[in-house]
Amino acid sequence: QNSTTPRSTKMDGNTEDESNEKSTSTCWTDDEFESFLRKELQKDPLSKEYPDLFAAAPKLICKWRQRYRGNPSLWKRLFQKDRVMKEFIEASPIIDSVQRLVISTELKKGEKFTIIDLACGRGYLSMLLSELLPPEKVDKFVLVDKQWPMHKTTPEPHHISWTHIYGPFLENNENSEDDDQSTIPCYYETWPIRLNTSKVNLKSSKEIKNMERRLFTDKGPIILVAIHLCGTLSLKAVDLFNNNPEIRFFCLKPCCLPGMVHAKRDEIFHLGEHSFDSKVILGFSHYCSMHCLCVFYVIW
C-alpha cells in the first residue's frame, strides 16, 4: 500500500490490514479463531434475526481453516476477514431459507437436491451451505461463473482459481518437473457435499441452453440461488426459473440496475408473459439524487 494513503482504523485501534492479518494468523487455536469470528458477527444487526445461523457460522468457517491447514498461502488468499464476513452476512437470508427448505422437504426415495449457484464468484455461498446442509438430502452444488477455467485446462491468471475447491486437481501439468503442487491435498473429497465448477457466460443464450440441457434436464429437484447478479443477469436468472419446472426453489438477490444503454436503445424487457419498458427503471438522468435512485432500485 502506498505510504501516502491512510489506512482505515477499527474501533479496537487496529488498522484494517492488521485486523485481517490477525484473523488469518496460524498461531490462534481453532477455539480462539471461532471466538474471534463470533464477536465480529455479533456486531451485525442481522445476528438478532438469524441467531442460530450466526451462532453456527464461526464453526463452519473454522472447518475451512482446518481444511487448508498446511497451505497458509491459499488460506490467506481465500480468507480476508472483511470479505468473508460481508459475503456471509449478505447471504444469510438465503442460507436460512435454503436450510429450512431442505430440512422440511420430504423427497421421493432416492431423490436429492442439486443446488445451482449462479455467478458464484469464488463460491463462498456454496462452501457455507456444503458445511451446513444434510448430505443425505443434497447431492451436489454446481458453481456457475464465466471466470472459471474450462474443464481439463490449466487455469490462467485471469481465471478464478479453483484450488480451494479441488486442490491440485487439473492444475498440474503431468509433464512438469515442478512438484510444488504435489503437497497440496485434494480438497474435492473433503467437502461434506461435493462442489463442482461450471464455466458459463450467463449473457450468452447459447451457453444458457447448453447449461439447461446439462444441468436442468432429468436431474431431479433443483434449488437455484443467485446473489449479486449485476444488471440484466437477474432477468436471465428469472428466465431460468420460469423455463425449468425442475427448480423447486429460487432465491435471487440483484446487485445493481442495468446500464443506461438499454433505455437509450428503447429496449423492452420480457419475462414470460410480463414485459416492461427499460425506461421505467432507467429513464432518469445520471445526475439523479440518491433517494431517486433508491426508488428506481425498489421498482427493479
Side-chain angles (χ1 to χ4, degrees):
Q1 185 171 15
N2 191 305
S3 59
T4 61
T5 304
R7 296 185 295 174
S8 60
T9 302
K10 301 294 184 182
M11 293 296 290
D12 57 6
N14 293 323
T15 65
E16 185 173 345
D17 289 346
E18 289 169 344
S19 181
N20 275 322
E21 184 177 351
K22 287 183 178 181
S23 64
T24 57
S25 172
T26 57
C27 299
W28 282 1
T29 66
D30 288 340
D31 288 341
E32 289 171 333
F33 181 67
E34 283 187 37
S35 177
F36 167 78
L37 294 178
R38 189 167 292 107
K39 290 177 181 177
E40 292 293 309
L41 288 171
Q42 289 305 313
K43 298 175 184 178
D44 192 274
L46 276 181
S47 64
K48 294 179 174 59
E49 289 194 44
Y50 304 101
D52 294 341
L53 182 57
F54 273 70
K59 190 171 290 294
L60 303 181
I61 298 171
C62 191
K63 288 181 180 179
W64 300 355
R65 185 177 191 248
Q66 294 165 354
R67 178 175 290 110
Y68 304 125
R69 186 163 287 146
N71 191 356
S73 61
L74 174 56
W75 175 240
K76 188 173 182 179
R77 174 174 61 81
L78 182 69
F79 184 83
Q80 296 294 319
K81 177 190 67 84
D82 290 344
R83 169 179 284 188
V84 173
M85 295 294 100
K86 176 179 178 291
E87 293 283 344
F88 168 75
I89 290 167
E90 293 186 352
S92 54
I94 287 181
I95 295 173
D96 178 72
S97 297
V98 171
Q99 182 185 28
R100 287 189 288 109
L101 174 86
V102 169
I103 291 174
S104 64
T105 300
E106 293 293 332
L107 296 170
K108 296 178 182 178
K109 185 177 181 180
E111 270 192 342
K112 287 188 176 185
F113 284 110
T114 293
I115 299 180
I116 298 177
D117 187 356
L118 297 181
C120 64
R122 289 182 176 177
Y124 290 114
L125 172 61
S126 291
M127 291 163 64
L128 286 163
L129 287 170
S130 177
E131 305 284 8
L132 183 67
L133 299 179
E136 64 272 16
K137 284 198 166 185
V138 181
D139 178 46
K140 64 182 177 181
F141 293 85
V142 182
L143 283 63
V144 175
D145 201 286
K146 69 177 183 178
Q147 291 300 113
W148 291 120
M150 290 292 290
H151 188 54
K152 294 185 178 180
T153 62
T154 301
E156 300 291 338
H158 64 278
H159 290 135
I160 299 173
S161 173
W162 54 25
T163 309
H164 60 292
I165 303 295
Y166 298 126
F169 177 63
L170 296 181
E171 289 211 38
N172 280 339
N173 185 331
E174 293 181 358
N175 299 320
S176 173
E177 296 179 359
D178 183 3
D179 294 329
D180 289 345
Q181 296 281 345
S182 62
T183 58
I184 303 176
C186 181
Y187 299 124
Y188 183 69
E189 301 295 337
T190 69
W191 293 100
I193 303 170
R194 57 193 172 132
L195 306 175
N196 297 278
T197 60
S198 180
K199 181 180 178 66
V200 179
N201 182 354
L202 296 175
K203 291 185 177 181
S204 167
S205 298
K206 181 179 179 181
E207 291 192 33
I208 287 179
K209 288 293 184 185
N210 289 336
M211 178 179 69
E212 287 179 309
R213 185 174 60 255
R214 289 187 297 109
L215 303 180
F216 290 81
T217 306
D218 300 324
K219 300 297 182 182
I222 290 171
I223 294 173
L224 186 65
V225 294
I227 293 184
H228 297 160
L229 265 63
C230 293
T232 56
L233 289 184
S234 293
L235 302 178
K236 300 288 188 180
V238 175
D239 277 335
L240 277 172
F241 173 68
N242 287 339
N243 297 335
N244 293 278
E246 298 87 353
I247 300 175
R248 301 279 186 90
F249 192 64
F250 174 42
C251 287
L252 170 64
K253 183 176 182 180
C255 173
C256 54
L257 290 165
M260 283 292 293
V261 64
H262 301 284
K264 292 176 180 178
R265 292 173 180 166
D266 296 321
E267 289 186 24
I268 304 296
F269 293 142
H270 297 278
L271 285 170
E273 297 180 358
H274 178 62
S275 62
F276 58 98
D277 194 322
S278 58
K279 291 186 179 67
V280 171
I281 55 170
L282 298 172
F284 55 86
S285 167
H286 59 281
Y287 297 108
C288 186
S289 68
M290 182 57 69
H291 171 73
C292 183
L293 288 172
C294 289
V295 171
F296 283 111
Y297 187 74
V298 169
I299 295 172
W300 171 241

